[in-house]
Amino acid sequence: MRKIKVITLIDRFNWFSDTWIKYHLNYFHKSDLVFLYEERYISTQSLITYLKSKNFESNEINIRSLGININDQNERMEINKNTINNLVKELMVDNDVVIFLDIDELLYHDNLMELLNTFPSSYLVTNPIDVMQYHSESKYDFSKPLYPQRMYHQTGHIQNWYKKPCIIREVFEFGAGRHTLEGIDKLVNPSTGLYLIHLSKIDYDFCEELNKQNRDMYINQDNQNGM
């Protein structure tokens, strides 16, 4: 069995973080999950407390502070990218596969662990499912399963952002957002049956509230939901 680490960036505790942890623990051990954070948004102790509330033992908690205190978006993203790439290099020393997912992204395949333990290529590219609230659909009930509350996903240009090479077996330099790998000019086609389920637009009101929080947290930073 391959040794696998799954990285995500967490900047607040909400339904996304709860769902991300609960879902991926169906496949991975708690000690396989690595949480990046900025101490100006989440303190070290609050993150440890939060993970312990999800039944993580102390020896299962892997957290890493980004240490960023910069408001300029471009400069911040560059530092973020470099820190993540250094972490990936470090993790690849003792692990066979490294995966990077955003906190609002779920990785799905009918036989996910078999795929991750056997794929021969240097990296895998995901197929996107950008779930969104259609105008005729009701407000999302976060106490109930996604299906059949949401029956639509985006198929336009933005969806292509989630065709990510976010699963790697050898060290590459990730670009911003893990959408690209430096030195690879053209990605291979997404892997059959491998999906990245993106949930940030699952409910209009929830999305709007998060955008308001983002404006307070991230000065002068745009994102596709805000746009």
Side-chain angles (χ1 to χ4, degrees):
M1 297 289 287
R2 290 173 175 171
K3 295 177 65 176
I4 301 172
K5 284 290 185 288
V6 188
I7 311 169
T8 194
L9 174 62
I10 185 169
D11 63 2
R12 71 203 86 173
F13 309 131
N14 56 21
W15 180 81
F16 286 142
S17 56
D18 292 345
T19 301
W20 193 94
I21 291 171
K22 181 179 180 180
Y23 175 82
H24 289 108
L25 285 180
N26 290 317
Y27 303 100
F28 306 103
H29 300 296
K30 296 184 182 77
S31 58
D32 296 332
L33 308 183
V34 181
F35 298 89
L36 293 170
Y37 68 105
E38 290 187 49
E39 293 183 50
R40 59 175 166 176
Y41 303 127
I42 293 178
S43 70
T44 302
Q45 188 55 55
S46 67
L47 180 53
I48 292 173
T49 300
Y50 173 73
L51 293 175
K52 285 187 174 181
S53 75
K54 304 298 181 186
N55 298 316
F56 282 68
E57 299 293 336
S58 295
N59 63 350
E60 297 175 315
I61 295 176
N62 291 316
I63 61 176
R64 187 70 62 94
S65 173
L66 283 170
I68 297 173
N69 192 25
I70 295 171
N71 289 327
D72 180 80
Q73 181 179 3
N74 292 331
E75 186 176 357
R76 188 174 171 280
M77 289 183 68
E78 188 65 24
I79 293 174
N80 189 315
K81 183 184 74 172
N82 291 337
T83 302
I84 289 170
N85 282 325
N86 288 334
L87 174 60
V88 169
K89 292 175 184 177
E90 177 185 325
L91 292 176
M92 287 298 295
V93 172
D94 296 317
N95 295 278
D96 304 297
V97 177
V98 172
I99 303 169
F100 200 117
L101 302 169
D102 288 339
I103 202 69
D104 58 1
E105 296 171 346
L106 309 179
L107 192 63
Y108 177 80
H109 186 275
D110 282 345
N111 297 295
L112 181 60
M113 296 313 295
E114 180 181 351
L115 174 69
L116 296 178
N117 279 291
T118 59
F119 76 92
S121 57
S122 299
Y123 60 94
L124 294 177
V125 180
T126 53
N127 292 278
I129 299 181
D130 189 15
V131 182
M132 62 186 300
Q133 180 181 2
Y134 194 59
H135 63 80
S136 62
E137 293 178 322
S138 302
K139 182 175 176 59
Y140 192 78
D141 185 341
F142 291 95
S143 68
K144 296 180 180 179
L146 187 151
Y147 184 83
Q149 292 191 73
R150 292 293 178 263
M151 301 291 288
Y152 297 87
H153 71 100
Q154 185 160 217
T155 58
H157 171 71
I158 291 176
Q159 180 193 234
N160 291 328
W161 294 350
Y162 305 105
K163 291 181 179 178
K164 294 184 181 184
C166 58
I167 302 170
I168 63 172
R169 286 186 57 234
E170 63 180 81
V171 174
F172 292 98
E173 291 289 323
F174 277 118
R178 282 75 59 198
H179 294 278
T180 59
L181 295 172
E182 297 295 337
I184 297 177
D185 297 323
K186 186 175 292 185
L187 296 176
V188 297
N189 291 328
S191 301
T192 301
L194 177 64
Y195 294 95
L196 191 72
I197 304 172
H198 182 242
L199 299 175
S200 73
K201 307 179 195 67
I202 197 170
D203 182 82
Y204 181 87
D205 291 337
F206 185 51
C207 186
E208 184 176 46
E209 174 58 32
L210 291 177
N211 287 330
K212 291 176 182 177
Q213 294 176 16
N214 289 340
R215 286 201 300 269
D216 293 333
M217 294 171 64
Y218 298 100
I219 308 298
N220 299 323
Q221 180 162 326
D222 296 323
N223 61 72
Q224 75 268 26
N225 295 329
M227 291 186 282

